[in-house]
């Protein structure tokens, strides 16, 4: 596939971006600072068929959210990476299969509405949730279908999916099943590697990068970064280094987030011959002027800014040492 096959030179500078779901991100002074320092791309995850339901009562907000984000990115001169996810049509969408023909129809609808978008990932964490979790071959066949449709787009990039990383061996095995079914080279893989980054380890990332299906491909770290806090059940079920060492105060949480952000940069530099892009999630969790430092803010907070909008140490690190 000509559009996805273009690979950056081995010594090319890694491109850094922000992964964030909020359109307001692009109009904040903080993002302006990141952009001035060199950040030119952003990632958004949306329901693959959101536009199909743009005029459907109760479901139109998925299309409205995507439209607002994409227009804000375009106005800010930011190149978007759009990652697709499950259907917008019902609450049990995680279990609903997606036919290649249906996905292709919706993909064409999206391309017609936003022809300036050039970077795509077929599915967010397909090996973790959704219809491709137990059917990687279907994702491979979908990649083959969509890559053919993008063949004439010289500037387009297509990722087979943003792979969730806990075990590098398991993720690599999943990727191999996808590649075999695709029956065509997969030039770029997406990777979400929070566990390695927040545990300050590169073991599982390295195993994935060296796996049979991935070792000759480029990789974009599509979502990662230092996590300040998650919901209590997540921190208990899947503790990062911060939870293992009982970090609960604001200073302790922010230190572990900062150290994890630095370690993400370590991983990117260590594997820069293979890693082309890295997207940090997120600029800010839900804004909350009454937030108390050291406490959780909603279910996830990996913000470079705290919920009140104040810069955290990770923000300054990116500005001074990464971008």
């Amino acid at each position: 596939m000509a559009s996805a096959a273009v690979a950056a030179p081995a010594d090319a500078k890694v491109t850094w971006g922000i992964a964030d779901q909020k359109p307001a991100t692009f109009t904040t002074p903080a993002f302006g600072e990141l952009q001035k320092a060199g950040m030119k791309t952003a990632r958004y995850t949306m329901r693959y068929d959101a536009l199909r339901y743009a005029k459907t009562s109760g479901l139109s907000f998925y299309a409205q959210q995507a439209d607002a984000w994409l227009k804000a990115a375009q106005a800010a001169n930011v190149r978007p990476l759009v990652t697709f996810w499950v259907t917008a049509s019902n609450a049990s969408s995680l279990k609903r299969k997606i036919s290649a023909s249906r996905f292709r129809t919706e993909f064409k609808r999206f391309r017609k509405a936003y022809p300036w978008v050039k970077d795509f990932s077929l599915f967010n964490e397909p090996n973790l949730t959704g219809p491709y979790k137990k059917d990687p071959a279907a994702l491979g066949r979908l990649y083959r279908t969509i890559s053919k449709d993008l063949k004439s787009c010289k500037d387009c990039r297509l990722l087979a999916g943003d792979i969730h990383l806990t075990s590098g061996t398991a993720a690599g095995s999943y990727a191999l099943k996808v590649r075999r079914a695709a029956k065509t080279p997969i030039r770029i893989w997406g990777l979400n590697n929070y566990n390695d980054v927040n545990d300050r380890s590169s073991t599982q990332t390295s195993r994935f990068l060296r796996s049979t299906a991935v070792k000759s491909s480029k990789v974009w770290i599509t979502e990662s970064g230092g996590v300040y806090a998650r919901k209590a059940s997540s921190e208990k079920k899947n503790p990062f280094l911060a939870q293992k060492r009982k970090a609960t105060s604001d200073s302790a949480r922010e230190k572990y987030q900062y150290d994890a952000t630095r370690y993400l940069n370590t991983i990117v530099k260590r594997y820069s011959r293979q890693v082309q892009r890295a997207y940090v999630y997120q600029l800010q969790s839900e804004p909350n002027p009454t937030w108390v430092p050291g406490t959780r803010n909603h279910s996830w907070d990996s913000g470079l800014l705290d919920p009140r909008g104040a810069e955290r140490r990770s923000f300054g690190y990116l500005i001074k040492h990464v971008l």
Side-chain angles (χ1 to χ4, degrees):
M1 164 185 156
S3 57
V6 179
D11 59 350
K13 179 178 171 60
V14 174
T15 298
W16 285 79
I18 196 78
D20 199 305
Q21 296 293 104
K22 297 182 289 298
T25 291
F26 301 112
T27 57
T28 62
F31 181 76
E33 290 185 53
L34 292 171
Q35 193 172 30
K36 185 177 179 180
M39 185 173 283
K40 299 177 181 179
T41 181
R43 171 186 178 260
Y44 183 73
T45 301
M46 65 174 286
R47 309 291 178 122
Y48 84 95
D49 56 359
L51 302 189
R52 181 186 183 92
Y53 300 100
K55 297 182 180 180
T56 303
S57 177
L59 299 176
S60 59
F61 65 93
Y62 290 116
Q64 292 167 0
Q65 288 175 334
D67 184 67
W69 191 95
L70 287 163
K71 286 181 177 177
Q74 185 181 37
N77 196 30
V78 171
R79 180 171 178 131
L81 163 63
V82 173
T83 296
F84 296 105
W85 199 44
V86 295
T87 179
S89 63
N90 61 53
S92 61
S93 57
L94 280 175
K95 299 179 181 179
R96 177 165 291 191
K97 290 187 176 182
I98 304 172
S99 71
S101 60
R102 171 70 179 272
F103 191 103
R104 186 180 184 224
T105 296
E106 298 308 321
F107 185 71
K108 287 184 174 181
R109 193 195 307 270
F110 179 90
R111 291 272 290 149
K112 183 176 181 180
Y114 305 102
W116 51 274
V117 178
K118 305 293 185 181
D119 299 337
F120 311 97
S121 181
L122 291 179
F123 204 85
N124 182 50
E125 299 185 334
N127 58 326
L128 181 66
T129 58
Y132 303 113
K133 180 179 180 179
K134 296 182 179 180
D135 193 5
L139 184 61
R141 293 190 294 270
L142 178 62
Y143 179 87
R144 183 168 72 246
T145 296
I146 301 302
S147 64
K148 289 179 181 178
D149 287 342
L150 287 176
K151 191 173 183 180
S152 62
C153 181
K154 303 303 181 184
D155 295 330
C156 288
R157 302 291 183 271
L158 179 65
L159 284 63
D162 299 348
I163 304 299
H164 171 79
L165 184 71
T166 301
S167 162
T169 300
S173 176
Y174 181 90
L176 182 58
K177 293 174 183 177
V178 175
R179 195 198 70 179
R180 285 173 173 167
K183 296 181 179 179
T184 187
I186 294 177
R187 303 299 183 183
I188 311 173
W189 293 93
L191 181 67
N192 297 352
N193 65 341
Y194 284 108
N195 283 71
D196 257 10
V197 167
N198 285 275
D199 284 341
R200 296 196 292 245
S201 169
S202 63
T203 300
Q204 304 308 325
T205 299
S206 177
R207 286 176 180 169
F208 177 74
L209 295 176
R210 298 197 316 264
S211 65
T212 302
V214 181
K215 62 184 179 181
S216 297
S217 305
K218 298 300 181 180
V219 171
W220 294 2
I221 298 178
T222 41
E223 186 183 323
S224 193
V227 179
Y228 179 91
R230 298 170 289 157
K231 60 184 179 181
S233 59
S234 296
E235 292 190 349
K236 183 177 181 180
K237 182 179 180 180
N238 179 28
F240 295 153
L241 188 61
Q243 286 78 56
K244 294 172 184 174
R245 296 186 178 174
K246 311 298 182 183
T248 56
S249 69
D250 177 61
S251 60
R253 285 186 179 275
E254 188 165 348
K255 179 184 184 300
Y256 278 100
Q257 181 194 25
Y258 172 76
D259 288 342
T261 303
R262 292 178 62 194
Y263 200 80
L264 171 59
N265 190 34
T266 295
I267 288 176
V268 169
K269 290 193 294 186
R270 182 175 296 167
Y271 303 108
S272 60
R273 292 182 64 86
Q274 196 169 358
V275 174
Q276 285 184 319
R277 294 191 192 181
Y279 290 83
V280 178
Y281 187 84
Q282 62 204 137
L283 182 63
Q284 185 184 20
S285 65
E286 294 305 314
N288 181 0
T290 64
W291 174 75
V292 176
T295 63
R296 296 181 178 87
N297 189 52
H298 295 270
S299 63
W300 184 280
D301 181 0
S302 58
L304 301 174
L305 311 180
D306 73 24
R308 299 169 303 182
E311 295 177 5
R312 285 176 170 152
R313 293 175 66 193
S314 296
F315 179 86
Y317 176 77
L318 284 178
I319 293 287
K320 296 176 183 178
H321 302 290
V322 177
L323 297 173

